[in-house]
Amino acid sequence: MAKRYSDSRKWQKAWFRKLSQPEKLFWIFVLDHCDHAGIWEVDFEFVQIFIPNIKEQEIRDKFNKQYIEFDNGKRWFLKDFIEFQYGELK
């Protein structure tokens, strides 16, 4: 089981506060389900088990500054994940 740091100050950040409740839950879900390098295997069918009625295209548009899509859209690299979890890598 992976253990992750969680930024408790995210609730104070304007970008996070402006998210809808399902969007907030989605972001926490992705942070919990990505691998140690911050790579999430895109699976909106699995997401919908936990967050019903979430719209994939709306999520992609809303979070497009937080990830880099690769492997023909099958994976996301979460831009700030490594720095937050591990600090500066050498």
Side-chain angles (χ1 to χ4, degrees), residues 10-23:
K10 66 181 162 281
W11 301 95
Q12 298 166 349
K13 295 179 181 176
W15 78 270
F16 191 79
R17 282 196 321 264
K18 291 176 184 177
L19 296 175
S20 68
Q21 193 171 16
E23 291 166 345

Side-chain angles (χ1 to χ4, degrees), residues 18-77:
K18 291 176 184 177
L19 296 175
S20 68
Q21 193 171 16
E23 291 166 345
K24 286 178 179 124
L25 187 55
F26 171 79
W27 185 243
I28 293 167
F29 177 92
V30 168
L31 292 174
D32 285 348
H33 285 89
C34 67
D35 68 12
H36 66 283
I39 304 218
W40 179 57
E41 302 228 5
V42 176
D43 186 349
F44 279 93
E45 184 178 325
F46 184 58
V47 171
Q48 288 180 346
I49 293 169
F50 303 97
I51 314 168
N53 302 318
I54 200 151
K55 307 280 189 276
E56 180 176 349
Q57 192 56 53
E58 289 176 17
I59 291 294
R60 286 177 179 274
D61 294 342
K62 179 68 85 165
F63 292 96
N64 68 350
K65 293 181 180 176
Q66 275 77 32
Y67 70 89
I68 297 170
E69 188 175 85
F70 68 101
D71 197 14
N72 292 321
K74 295 177 185 174
R75 297 172 198 235
W76 289 2
F77 171 67

